[in-house]
Amino acid sequence: MPETSNIQEFIDLYAIPWGINIVMALAIFIVGRWIAKALLNVVDKMLNKAGMDPMLVSFVHSILNALLLLFIIIASLDQLGVDTTSFIALIGAAGLAVGLALQGSLQNFAAGVLLIVFRPFKVGHFIEAGGATGVVEEIGIFSTRFKTGDNREIIVPNGAIYSGTITNNSARPTRRIDMVFGIGYDDDIRKAKEIMQGIIDADERILKDPAPLIAVGELADSSVNFNVRPWVQSADYWGVYFDLNEKIKIAFDDNGISIPYPQMDVHLNKPE
């Protein structure tokens, strides 16, 4: 009988309470995971409906899933009677240490999230940012990849991009080309202006509205400088820029209009 009473006492004091706690902990874990999955689906639908970038949606999903899983595990351990206070403190200390060690990476990550959310540029845009100039090929969580005009690949940390000035040359559908052409003081200003106007009018890529500007911008030391400012579609910018330089130079040569260059007269005094 003493053995029977000891077994019954063990069952009453340990087996049943621990069994109940284990079952409750498993229930908390299973139900918690089901609720977390449902919550994550709702968040994914809300972010997708708001037009968020798929990369950002996936990243937010992963972060929320990890946090919810950690909360569920702590709740399950607490049900088992495990002291979770020290466990939470340990996680906090580890998180702080990791945060300090990855300070630069976290800055790049935060900048990447902001770039994806606010979209100062998109893939395919030609931009100047973070000390690089090129076409954006990929916007990642930590860095952005550029392709330069000579087909080089440049990878720039997002922190360097977001903390500086971003010049987006593709943000607007049209751009103005700012050019300066100088002629000699002895040349015919009216004739030079007519030549440039004719070349601009003949180029179908140059927009009529806004109207291109051709005006004397400066009476310089050795030349009369014209400001030539036509408007074009952003995709035609460099093509028109190069063509105007060539065509105007050839037209000036054919019509006897000089393009002066800096000169210096040196006078030597011979001793008597």
Side-chain angles (χ1 to χ4, degrees):
M1 293 301 293
E3 292 182 2
T4 304
S5 62
N6 289 337
I7 295 173
Q8 185 64 40
E9 183 179 357
F10 174 80
I11 293 174
D12 293 339
L13 294 178
Y14 298 103
I16 294 177
W18 268 99
I20 293 174
N21 286 338
I22 292 173
V23 171
M24 290 296 295
L26 288 174
I28 290 173
F29 184 81
I30 294 172
V31 174
R33 289 294 294 161
W34 181 82
I35 295 174
K37 185 177 180 180
L39 181 61
L40 289 171
N41 289 334
V42 171
V43 172
D44 288 347
K45 290 179 180 178
M46 291 176 60
L47 293 177
N48 288 322
K49 189 175 181 181
M52 293 292 183
D53 190 276
M55 182 182 297
L56 181 59
V57 174
S58 175
F59 186 79
V60 171
H61 180 97
S62 300
I63 292 296
L64 286 178
N65 184 54
L67 292 176
L68 290 172
L69 179 60
L70 181 61
F71 177 79
I72 293 168
I73 292 175
I74 291 175
S76 300
L77 291 176
D78 186 67
Q79 178 62 39
L80 289 174
V82 177
D83 185 9
T84 56
T85 304
S86 57
F87 182 64
I88 294 173
L90 180 62
I91 293 176
L96 179 60
V98 171
L100 292 175
L102 301 177
Q103 186 175 4
S105 298
L106 291 176
Q107 179 186 5
N108 291 328
F109 160 72
V113 172
L114 293 175
L115 289 175
I116 293 172
V117 171
F118 294 107
R119 294 178 178 271
F121 55 83
K122 299 178 182 178
V123 172
H125 281 186
F126 180 72
I127 71 168
E128 302 170 32
T133 300
V135 177
V136 179
E137 286 196 320
E138 180 184 2
I139 305 172
I141 291 295
F142 294 99
S143 63
T144 296
R145 190 172 77 243
F146 293 79
K147 183 178 75 172
T148 64
D150 56 354
N151 205 32
R152 291 177 297 150
E153 182 177 291
I154 301 177
I155 298 175
V156 183
N158 288 332
I161 295 175
Y162 201 79
S163 62
T165 301
I166 300 173
T167 302
N168 191 338
N169 298 305
S170 304
R172 306 295 176 88
T174 60
R175 288 184 64 186
R176 189 183 73 186
I177 303 177
D178 291 355
M179 311 181 75
V180 177
F181 294 96
I183 66 172
Y185 273 92
D186 295 332
D187 294 317
D188 190 336
I189 293 178
R190 297 182 184 87
K191 185 177 181 181
K193 188 172 182 179
E194 288 176 1
I195 292 172
M196 290 185 286
Q197 186 68 58
I199 292 173
I200 288 176
D201 292 341
D203 196 324
E204 296 181 352
R205 296 169 296 179
I206 295 177
L207 303 177
K208 306 302 180 184
D209 184 23
L213 171 70
I214 302 177
V216 175
E218 182 185 13
L219 300 176
D221 293 338
S222 58
S223 64
V224 177
N225 293 334
F226 281 91
N227 289 335
V228 179
R229 296 176 178 176
W231 286 83
V232 297
Q233 297 292 332
S234 295
D236 294 330
Y237 181 92
W238 288 111
V240 174
Y241 179 88
F242 295 137
D243 285 348
L244 285 182
N245 272 314
E246 179 179 348
K247 290 178 179 178
I248 289 176
K249 174 62 170 68
I250 292 174
F252 279 0
D253 290 343
D254 292 343
N255 288 273
I257 295 177
S258 62
I259 299 179
Y261 48 88
Q263 302 181 51
M264 179 183 296
D265 293 333
V266 178
H267 300 276
L268 298 177
N269 294 323
K270 294 183 178 180
E272 295 293 339

